[in-house]
Amino acid sequence: MTYLMLNFGNSLLELTMTIAGYKTVSFMNHPLLLSASPTGCWARRWNRVVQGLLKRAIFKPIRKISGSRWIAVAGTFLMSGLLHEYASTVMFYEYTDDSIVSFNDQLSRVYNPTMGKMMIFFSANGFILFLEEAIGGFTLFQWISRTFPTPVISLLVVAIVLPISHLFTADWIHGGHFSDFSLALPLIVHVKE
């Protein structure tokens, strides 16, 4: 759902910029259908704008200083976690001024997120990249990459992250962001009897 929401917004922005006469680059490169590995998803397909920023500002300097690719990967995922923690704090800011809440009823639905979930999510994804490096050469994984079509492999890549995806999406759900977005994109919801 997060991908659909981000991609929908990006598509609207691309359309607007194209109409205005500007050439754009899509910031997503089909991560849910064409990712052949967790590294490929994070490094080449998911949110390429932020990935490029993190690569230039965090990964390359840490790698140059430390000489280690893995220390740079860890630092990059930790910084991504910090950036997402900050974004969550801003998005789910809890208003305490009663005049603001009474002025805008939507603010009464504010959800106060649990801090640390984004750090855990991105640290776990960094660890998944370490595991990929450690066991990706095993015969089973090589056979899968040679035998299965890319969309099936992409589904397996997504399935690896599903057990921890609630760390990323729970605050968005509780904060009402997906409900608010439903005005632009149909959602499947449970109808109470």
Side-chain angles (χ1 to χ4, degrees):
M1 186 61 182
T2 303
Y3 169 73
L4 292 175
M5 187 171 77
L6 291 172
N7 205 40
F8 181 75
N10 181 63
S11 295
L12 288 177
L13 179 63
E14 283 182 11
L15 177 63
T16 304
M17 297 304 287
T18 301
I19 291 170
Y22 295 96
K23 183 177 165 93
T24 63
V25 176
S26 179
F27 82 109
M28 295 285 190
N29 187 14
H30 309 289
L32 300 183
L33 297 175
L34 299 179
S35 294
S37 69
T39 300
C41 180
W42 286 112
R44 291 179 290 282
R45 299 200 174 277
W46 186 267
N47 200 342
R48 297 182 314 162
V49 173
V50 172
Q51 182 274 339
L53 172 70
L54 289 171
K55 185 175 184 178
R56 289 186 304 277
I58 306 300
F59 180 85
K60 286 182 176 182
I62 291 176
R63 186 166 187 185
K64 184 176 182 180
I65 292 168
S66 70
S68 169
R69 174 177 176 244
W70 291 111
I71 291 173
V73 167
T76 303
F77 274 90
L78 287 173
M79 180 53 74
S80 184
L82 284 172
L83 288 170
H84 283 81
E85 288 288 345
Y86 173 74
S88 290
T89 302
V90 171
M91 286 190 317
F92 301 112
Y93 178 76
E94 188 168 6
Y95 291 91
T96 56
D97 184 354
D98 289 339
S99 65
I100 294 173
V101 173
S102 61
F103 176 73
N104 186 349
D105 189 48
Q106 291 298 316
L107 295 178
S108 64
R109 294 190 300 120
V110 172
Y111 171 73
N112 193 8
T114 304
M115 299 309 291
K117 287 192 226 175
M118 295 294 177
M119 286 296 296
I120 294 168
F121 176 80
F122 284 97
S123 296
N125 274 284
F127 181 71
I128 289 169
L129 269 60
F130 286 111
L131 283 178
E132 177 189 354
E133 179 75 16
I135 65 174
F138 287 7
T139 305
L140 172 64
F141 298 114
Q142 292 302 312
W143 175 79
I144 288 171
S145 68
R146 285 190 314 271
T147 309
F148 289 16
T150 303
V152 172
I153 294 172
S154 291
L155 289 174
L156 293 172
V157 169
V158 171
I160 292 169
V161 182
L162 280 179
I164 59 169
S165 64
H166 67 282
L167 295 169
F168 188 87
T169 60
D171 289 331
W172 288 49
I173 293 167
H174 292 293
H177 286 293
F178 290 134
S179 297
D180 294 341
F181 192 70
S182 67
L183 297 171
L185 183 69
L187 293 176
I188 298 172
V189 295
H190 176 71
V191 178
K192 296 179 183 178
E193 294 181 22

